[in-house]
Amino acid sequence: MLTTGKAILDVANEHGFAVPAFNISDWAMFKGIVEISEETNAPLLVAIHPDEVSHIGRDLIKAIAERAHRSSVPIAIHWDHGATYEQMLEAFQFGFTSVMIDASMKPFDENVAISKKVVDSAHVLGVSVEGELGTIGANDSYAEGGSATIIYTDPDDAVTFVEQTGVDSLAIAIGTFHGFYPAHLKPELKLDLLKEIKSRVQIPLVLHGGSNNPDDEIREAARIGINKINISTDIKVAYHQKMREILGDDPKTREPNAIQPACIAAMNEVAAHKIELFGAAGKAALY
């Protein structure tokens, strides 16, 4: 069933688990992610970044919505890392049921202003909104300005931001990177900071990144206050690495049904691990 991000994350917040937001960039990836979510009976946010939106196009998003309506688990279609109000309007028109406005690189007051503007418009349409405060490190081109520095979320700012914007969920910076964690740094989540923020804002909190962070830390973060975790790098690496292996140097390997099933299986092995790690397996029964 197609639903909103808020409907999914409020239940996760109440019951203490995290919902995976898997970034997909083609139909085969989407189909596989829905199937493993149904197999594990886990709620799902299908995350699509603006670059991925430009790749798959508006028509495929309509097909994603149709498949979500027929799913045995709750699904929201989430616009990931929207940068402008105009992008949010496009997301509404395309049929997204959840959006993220990421103005975290702007001064605090500007972040508040644009996030509130998005919330005001989205809530009229019944669309959920995620904001972001603090900046997550970046080892790829899909994050906030490609910054290699983590600016940790300030709890006082988080309280003010949530009160003034009315966002339904908040992405916070507690020690993760987009892409793979830099080799010269030790991955470490500030779980005490997470606990303080959660105790003060209480809405669903979101973790972006997480590749190379220890499983034990991610599991604990989901248990104590993170209710949505974005996964992109890990599933895409598994998917495309298997594709490279299958294609090899044989020009005769060309049919999708000879190539993609094993790629989906490799991706879903990673996805199933994440679903279990986040505590989301079986939780579709709560909806």
Side-chain angles (χ1 to χ4, degrees):
M1 52 189 174
L2 180 64
T3 186
T4 66
K6 177 176 171 56
I8 291 176
L9 297 185
D10 281 354
V11 173
N13 192 18
E14 179 183 355
H15 292 273
F17 66 94
V19 178
F22 290 116
N23 279 78
I24 61 93
S25 50
D26 64 34
W27 179 258
M29 288 186 72
F30 165 71
K31 181 173 178 287
I33 285 298
V34 172
E35 288 171 353
I36 194 62
S37 298
E38 291 178 330
E39 182 181 323
T40 57
N41 201 31
L44 167 67
L45 277 87
V46 177
I48 312 176
H49 185 278
D51 287 353
E52 294 162 338
V53 172
S54 69
H55 173 66
I56 67 176
R58 182 173 186 167
D59 291 336
L60 190 57
I61 294 168
K62 291 180 181 178
I64 288 171
E66 285 189 19
R67 176 63 179 90
H69 275 300
R70 294 186 284 107
S71 177
S72 61
V73 300
I75 296 177
I77 307 174
H78 178 74
W79 185 294
D80 186 31
H81 284 286
T84 65
Y85 180 72
E86 288 69 28
Q87 278 189 353
M88 300 295 89
L89 295 180
E90 188 175 25
F92 303 154
Q93 294 165 358
F94 282 17
F96 282 77
T97 61
S98 176
V99 298
M100 179 195 187
I101 177 64
D102 181 4
S104 60
M105 293 296 290
K106 298 182 181 296
F108 182 80
D109 290 346
E110 291 184 29
N111 190 356
V112 167
I114 187 173
S115 298
K116 185 179 187 306
K117 185 176 181 181
V118 171
V119 168
D120 289 345
S121 297
H123 283 182
V124 170
L125 301 170
V127 175
S128 309
V129 180
E130 173 187 336
E132 181 169 336
L133 197 58
T135 61
I136 296 150
N139 246 354
D140 59 29
S141 61
Y142 297 103
E144 314 97 339
S147 171
T149 302
I150 299 172
I151 301 174
Y152 292 95
T153 304
D154 181 271
D156 291 334
D157 287 345
V159 171
T160 303
F161 184 85
V162 171
E163 288 177 347
Q164 293 187 1
T165 63
V167 292
D168 301 294
S169 60
L170 180 66
I172 59 173
I174 58 171
T176 54
F177 260 71
H178 284 284
F180 288 116
Y181 214 94
H184 66 284
L185 296 176
K186 178 185 176 182
E188 186 175 6
L189 297 182
K190 292 185 178 293
L191 296 177
D192 288 343
L193 177 59
L194 167 58
K195 289 177 182 177
E196 182 177 359
I197 295 170
K198 188 69 171 187
S199 69
R200 298 183 63 184
V201 302
Q202 299 181 346
I203 67 171
L205 298 179
V206 178
L207 192 66
H208 288 253
S211 297
N212 301 130
N213 287 87
D215 278 0
D216 286 347
E217 286 188 350
I218 297 294
R219 183 183 291 107
E220 182 66 5
R223 189 185 70 82
I224 65 176
I226 293 294
N227 302 120
K228 170 178 172 280
I229 302 179
N230 286 40
I231 300 295
S232 180
T233 299
D234 287 341
I235 60 170
K236 287 176 179 173
V237 167
Y239 180 78
H240 289 108
Q241 182 59 41
K242 179 57 68 172
M243 188 173 292
R244 292 183 184 97
E245 293 174 11
I246 293 170
L247 290 173
D249 297 321
D250 184 359
K252 296 180 181 178
T253 304
R254 62 185 181 276
E255 294 298 333
N257 283 338
I259 299 169
Q260 290 182 319
C263 302
I264 294 169
M267 175 189 71
N268 279 355
E269 183 177 347
V270 175
H273 172 69
K274 300 295 185 183
I275 289 168
E276 185 67 32
L277 182 66
F278 302 166
K283 295 301 195 300
L286 297 172
Y287 295 83

